[in-house]
Amino acid sequence: MNCPQCDQEMADVVSPAGEHVWICSDCGQWLDGTDLNAMLLRANLPGVASLGGKRAPDEATGTCSTCRVDLARLTHRDGASYELCEDCGWIFLPLDPPAAEDFEAAHARLLQTVRGFLGKKPGASR
Ligand SMILES: [Zn+2]
Ligand SMILES: [Zn+2]
């Protein structure tokens, strides 16, 4: 699968529970919304629907690797954003390099990013 942002081929890492995280070494992580939801719930975080953000209608976004439709970009007050395919529910989390290389690192990064979206401090417990 190719990155929805830069079209480069992504690395696929898989969790012990079978969830996939596709990693672009240049720009971020691309995930099935259902898999992301399962990982968030397991970490005692609210699900994907709670990621929030305001829709930025005029911004250029990536294109879904599967559906070939433009992604919707959702932006938070502090400028953090993610992109969503409204057709298939996949989610792209832009992350600065260096990219994670295994599932554990990818998982830690995505939880940190999601906690940022939810207004929690990285590493803070509930
Ligand atoms: Zn990329
Ligand atoms: Zn799609």
Side-chain angles (χ1 to χ4, degrees), residues 47-110:
V48 168
S50 308
L51 287 178
K54 199 167 158 241
R55 214 187 153 111
D58 298 327
E59 281 189 58
T61 58
T63 303
C64 177
S65 309
T66 311
C67 318
R68 309 316 289 177
V69 300
D70 288 345
L71 302 175
R73 178 171 295 162
L74 292 138
T75 309
H76 289 75
R77 249 175 313 185
D78 62 358
S81 67
Y82 64 98
E83 295 179 8
L84 168 72
C85 175
E86 289 166 316
D87 277 12
C88 65
W90 279 60
I91 288 174
F92 186 76
L93 293 173
L95 298 172
D96 292 330
E101 283 177 4
D102 56 25
F103 176 77
E104 218 160 294
H107 183 249
R109 268 196 101 166
L110 81 86

Side-chain angles (χ1 to χ4, degrees), residues 3 5-8 24 26-28 92:
C3 174
Q5 280 295 343
C6 65
D7 212 31
Q8 145 170 286
C24 172
D26 285 343
C27 45
F92 186 76

